[in-house]
Amino acid sequence: MSSPHPTGSNQESSRLLGEAIAQVQRVIVGQEHMVEQLMVALLAKGHCLLEGVPGVAKTLAVRSFATVVGGSFSRVQFTPDLVPSDIVGTRIYRSSQEKFDIELGPVFVNFVLADEINRAPAKVQSAMLELMAEKQVSIGGHTYPTPDPFIVIATQNPVESEGVYPLPEAQRDRFLLKVDVPYPRGNEEFEILRRMSVDPPTSTPILNPDLVRGLQRQASEVFVHNLVAEYIVRLVLATRTPAEFNMPDLTSVIQIGCSPRATLGLVAASRALALIHGRDYVLPTDVQAVAKDVMSHRLTLGFDAVADNIPPSQVVERIVAMVPPPTPVWNQGQQGQGAHPGQRPMQRQPDFS
């Protein structure tokens, strides 16, 4: 069946996505994982939370990413005195017309950069929750949908505690990915100095909203084998009942396991990563590559684990190491078998054992 997508084959899509990622890398030194995960979030139609100390190029990465992908972009700096109408819009009285008009806020764009999102109070967080979950806002009894594609990329600073409102669990769960942004390595720091101290490079647009919508459809059609789907479910179940998966020591560590949104997020993120790598099927390695960023922020650790400074990412790494994945069995004689109806036949489709 011929592809309905304007982007053509998976190899062509992968080349296009690789070119877009390379354009962001012209500006951002290192941080390959963060840039790739931003693209995964976009293809999977999910939101992304970046956490790192100040000055590690979180905001610059998002600005460069929005430029490369095309579409409209706005940055909202979250502060403790922010109110919901500052971000979603409000009703304004026009005396000349003797009626109220709706003035839409800065979030009606394709890319919203919510800078230091944990600085805003509860009312703003609730407005963001509707925006992220429903991709719409309600003003004056009317509902206004956001543009398509729409993605919220938020940043937060993990070291400050003064004037900060920690994100509630419900809102953290709305983020498909939470990416930890580390300090650059020594050679990368030198490259930052060399590249940014003269004339900083800029990125050029590669994609546009129509192309992005086509790529998102293509990512949603990437084939997931039943055994890979079962592996994803086992990973999530292991966070809820670790003793059943030979990890009784994690029972006291994990207070609340991952929600079903983690299961859906693992499938969506794995499909997006497979498309970036030019495949139209998901491998267990795709699931393992996104597991930490999809699951860590959805875990609630017990008091003792928090007191012992056990990071959630370490718990997820342990679960991924302990839950056995299915093994791909390559059989070139069964080309295209196992794909669902309407799926393009794959060049080398693996079976699993």
Side-chain angles (χ1 to χ4, degrees):
M1 192 172 177
S2 62
S3 169
H5 308 293
T7 47
S9 69
N10 285 66
Q11 286 74 24
E12 175 63 22
S13 301
S14 176
R15 185 196 62 77
L16 202 60
L17 293 167
E19 198 177 326
I21 290 172
Q23 276 296 322
V24 180
Q25 294 287 358
R26 287 188 68 231
V27 180
I28 304 298
V29 179
Q31 309 293 11
E32 293 88 356
H33 179 71
M34 171 180 67
V35 176
E36 185 178 66
Q37 294 302 80
L38 286 174
M39 189 62 79
V40 166
L42 176 65
L43 294 176
K45 302 181 183 178
H47 309 296
C48 187
L49 178 63
L50 306 178
E51 183 173 281
V53 296
V56 290
K58 300 185 297 293
T59 304
L60 181 60
V62 178
R63 277 192 172 279
S64 305
F65 182 75
T67 301
V68 168
V69 173
S72 49
F73 168 79
S74 73
R75 172 186 175 180
V76 182
Q77 185 71 45
F78 279 51
T79 56
D81 61 348
L82 208 65
V83 294
S85 59
D86 291 334
I87 60 169
V88 301
T90 187
R91 301 171 73 198
I92 294 180
Y93 183 71
R94 308 282 186 194
S95 56
S96 58
Q97 301 172 3
E98 296 186 350
K99 67 171 187 178
F100 283 95
D101 274 349
I102 299 296
E103 191 76 27
L104 296 177
V107 295
F108 285 87
V109 290
N110 298 117
F111 292 92
V112 177
L113 170 56
D115 232 342
E116 295 190 278
I117 191 171
N118 53 338
R119 284 191 171 279
K123 282 188 177 180
V124 176
Q125 301 293 2
S126 66
M128 285 296 294
L129 198 58
E130 181 189 10
L131 179 72
M132 292 165 60
E134 312 297 336
K135 298 189 176 178
Q136 65 181 35
V137 296
S138 302
I139 307 172
H142 294 280
T143 300
Y144 298 89
T146 58
D148 183 31
F150 176 75
I151 176 173
V152 173
I153 304 175
T155 68
Q156 68 175 11
N157 180 351
V159 293
E160 285 185 282
S161 57
E162 194 172 331
V164 166
Y165 302 81
L167 292 184
E169 284 75 8
Q171 190 169 354
R172 284 210 313 267
D173 204 21
R174 299 288 177 183
F175 285 101
L176 172 67
L177 303 167
K178 175 179 170 289
V179 183
D180 292 321
V181 186
Y183 280 120
R185 295 182 287 271
N187 59 324
E188 293 170 348
E189 192 93 23
F190 185 81
E191 177 62 19
I192 291 170
L193 178 63
R194 188 194 67 78
R195 195 182 293 186
M196 294 298 183
S197 60
V198 193
D199 188 14
T202 56
S203 48
T204 56
I206 300 294
L207 306 175
N208 58 55
D210 285 338
L211 270 176
V212 169
R213 284 191 289 270
L215 289 164
Q216 286 176 337
R217 282 196 301 274
Q218 207 169 347
S220 68
E221 292 172 7
V222 168
F223 176 64
V224 181
H225 195 281
N226 277 343
L227 288 178
V228 177
E230 287 174 13
Y231 173 56
I232 288 171
V233 170
R234 287 203 310 274
L235 284 175
V236 175
L237 290 179
T239 67
R240 303 174 194 167
T241 54
E244 294 179 13
F245 293 85
N246 299 319
M247 292 176 283
D249 55 308
L250 291 186
T251 305
S252 60
V253 173
I254 302 173
Q255 184 178 353
I256 302 174
C258 291
S259 69
R261 217 176 260 128
T263 311
L264 299 174
L266 281 171
V267 173
S270 302
R271 281 174 156 160
L273 190 61
L275 182 64
I276 289 172
H277 292 159
R279 282 184 273 105
D280 55 2
Y281 52 87
V282 171
L283 291 175
T285 49
D286 296 323
V287 181
Q288 293 163 352
V290 299
K292 187 173 72 172
D293 294 334
V294 172
M295 297 168 68
S296 303
H297 61 291
R298 293 183 162 94
L299 288 177
T300 302
L301 301 187
F303 178 79
D304 290 340
V306 173
D308 292 339
N309 286 324
I310 298 175
S313 57
Q314 188 177 317
V315 176
V316 174
E317 285 170 1
R318 170 90 191 284
I319 289 170
V320 170
M322 289 294 290
V323 177
T327 307
V329 179
W330 299 96
N331 187 347
Q332 297 194 44
Q334 296 181 340
Q335 183 175 354
Q337 289 188 14
H340 58 72
Q343 177 78 21
R344 295 183 304 283
M346 290 180 282
Q347 294 171 348
R348 292 177 64 213
Q349 163 107 23
D351 206 343
F352 291 89
S353 61

